[in-house]
Amino acid sequence: MRKKIISIILLVAMVLTMAAGCGKKEDKKDYFVFYVNNELTKVVAKKITLQHTSFGKAQVKELLKDLQTQPEDATLRRTIPRKVKIQNIDLISYQITVDFSKEYYDMKPTEEILTRAAIAKTLLQLSQYVTFTVDGKPLVDASGANVGAMNLDSFVENPGEQINSSQKATLKLYFSNKAGTRLVPETREVHYSSNISLEKLVMEQLIEGPRKSGLLATIPSETKLITITVVDGVCYVNLDEMFLNQNQEISEPVVLYSIVDSLTELTGIDKVQISINGDTSGKCRYTYKLSKMYKADDRLVTKESDEKVESTE
């Protein structure tokens, strides 16, 4: 009889343990929401915990709702502008498609690029691909080309936000010859902090000017680099208005392709678009439209041998 009572007690304990296990809630996973800073220079991640624990529209809507909300950090802005509405969400196991209202196209190029990156990177935590449509039609970029499905490889970013170490890079830069008619390559080794992207480093070195004698800087030294972003192989360079104070003795194509040819030397950059204070409606000077994306062109490059110049920084 005693053995029977003990067996019953053990059985009840086992049942209660199993019931407790079945009733245990699934652990909530931490995610990141990506916001754009007020200066429109970078995308910043903030950790959150989703209330919905299983993949589905509820999770997508929860993330998008955060992107539509003004973050507590005063240095950041809401990622999705107030006037831009989310009209539809469609998802399958490996792709999320978000349809935005036509006001999406009211954003300036730099704002749109950063907004696109922030939204996509947020949603790519749930799916392998993210696609945007506007009023039911595929999203197109500033040049009119379809953006298509985005994955993490679509965005070149600097992983060193939490790392600040010294690195060395060999850059191939293009400056003007004395006559202002040709491009001359200059290869230099530069020591730099890992929290700066290579494309930004290239632009800073171009603005600094050449170190080889007999060459001319193509960008005015007082020019400020506002933002630089790489998306889908296109490098978007946003300069301030001082860029327009160019040396008139240097031809316009030499100025333009000094930037284009230098940046496209980097892996992952195929085209370059330049804007002035986020505006692409003007021209580099008189002829070359800023709204166009430019590929590398070596027809202006001299055949002179490269001279390696090492940074002493």
Side-chain angles (χ1 to χ4, degrees):
M1 183 70 179
R2 185 176 178 184
K3 288 183 179 179
K4 188 175 181 181
I5 294 173
I6 293 173
S7 298
I8 293 172
I9 292 173
L10 290 173
L11 180 62
V12 171
M14 186 181 299
V15 170
L16 290 174
T17 301
M18 291 177 62
C22 292
K24 184 180 179 182
K25 292 183 179 179
E26 186 178 348
D27 291 337
K28 293 178 180 178
K29 179 182 175 183
D30 288 331
Y31 289 86
F32 290 92
V33 174
F34 292 84
Y35 296 103
V36 180
N37 69 338
N38 292 327
E39 292 78 19
L40 294 176
T41 58
K42 62 182 178 180
V43 168
V44 179
K46 294 289 183 182
K47 186 186 288 188
I48 66 164
T49 300
L50 289 182
Q51 298 304 308
H52 297 88
T53 56
S54 57
F55 174 71
K57 279 192 178 182
Q59 276 194 329
V60 177
K61 288 180 178 179
E62 193 174 339
L63 287 175
L64 289 173
K65 184 178 179 181
D66 280 321
L67 294 175
Q68 292 174 302
T69 305
Q70 176 63 41
E72 293 181 2
D73 188 339
T75 66
L76 304 177
R77 55 192 287 171
R78 53 182 287 165
T79 299
I80 302 176
R82 191 176 302 276
K83 60 184 177 180
V84 177
K85 307 300 180 187
I86 297 171
Q87 300 186 148
N88 188 47
I89 299 169
D90 187 28
L91 73 154
I92 51 181
S93 60
Y94 60 89
Q95 180 166 303
I96 298 171
T97 300
V98 183
D99 184 52
F100 296 99
S101 63
K102 62 185 179 186
E103 286 79 15
Y104 183 95
Y105 285 128
D106 290 343
M107 287 185 281
K108 290 184 177 180
T110 301
E111 180 185 3
E112 189 278 323
I113 293 162
L114 289 170
T115 297
R116 188 198 321 168
I119 300 171
K121 285 166 62 104
T122 299
L123 296 181
L124 283 168
Q125 296 170 101
L126 301 179
S127 187
Q128 189 175 355
Y129 295 97
V130 171
T131 302
F132 292 173
T133 57
V134 179
D135 251 1
K137 297 179 181 179
L139 174 67
V140 297
D141 59 25
S143 68
N146 280 355
V147 171
M150 296 168 280
N151 59 21
L152 288 176
D153 293 332
S154 301
F155 306 98
V156 177
E157 61 177 341
N158 173 32
E161 287 188 358
Q162 294 110 13
I163 305 170
N164 189 5
S165 59
S166 178
Q167 296 187 156
K168 184 171 72 173
T170 301
L171 306 177
K172 191 171 185 180
L173 308 172
Y174 293 87
F175 296 101
S176 172
N177 64 354
K178 242 178 190 177
T181 57
R182 306 282 294 175
L183 286 171
V184 181
E186 176 185 301
T187 303
R188 65 173 66 161
E189 287 185 354
V190 181
H191 293 274
Y192 69 102
S193 173
S194 62
N195 62 4
I196 184 173
S197 65
L198 279 176
E199 58 270 17
K200 183 178 181 182
L201 182 66
V202 166
M203 288 304 301
E204 288 180 347
Q205 295 294 308
L206 284 176
I207 293 172
E208 178 186 299
R211 297 176 187 170
K212 288 170 65 173
S213 61
L215 299 186
L216 301 176
T218 54
I219 304 175
S221 60
E222 64 271 22
T223 303
K224 301 294 185 217
L225 176 64
I226 301 174
T227 58
I228 186 164
T229 312
V230 180
V231 179
D232 296 336
V234 181
C235 185
Y236 297 89
V237 183
N238 185 18
L239 303 170
D240 73 355
E241 67 280 359
M242 302 308 292
F243 172 67
L244 299 175
N245 297 335
Q246 299 160 17
N247 183 348
Q248 298 298 309
E249 294 181 358
I250 301 176
S251 70
E252 184 181 5
V254 168
V255 171
L256 176 72
Y257 283 99
S258 167
I259 298 172
V260 174
D261 288 3
S262 296
L263 285 170
T264 51
E265 287 286 345
L266 298 177
T267 302
I269 298 179
D270 303 313
K271 299 176 184 178
V272 176
Q273 184 182 50
I274 300 170
S275 60
I276 307 299
N277 291 322
D279 186 7
T280 59
S281 62
K283 295 178 180 178
C284 180
R285 193 183 294 169
Y286 306 116
T287 307
Y288 291 86
K289 295 180 179 180
L290 297 178
S291 58
K292 183 179 176 181
M293 296 179 182
Y294 294 91
K295 292 184 177 180
D297 189 341
D298 62 0
R299 288 176 294 180
L300 290 170
V301 179
T302 64
K303 302 304 178 184
E304 297 178 24
S305 59
D306 294 351
E307 180 183 337
K308 200 172 189 180
V309 180
E310 185 166 355
S311 170
T312 57
E313 296 175 1

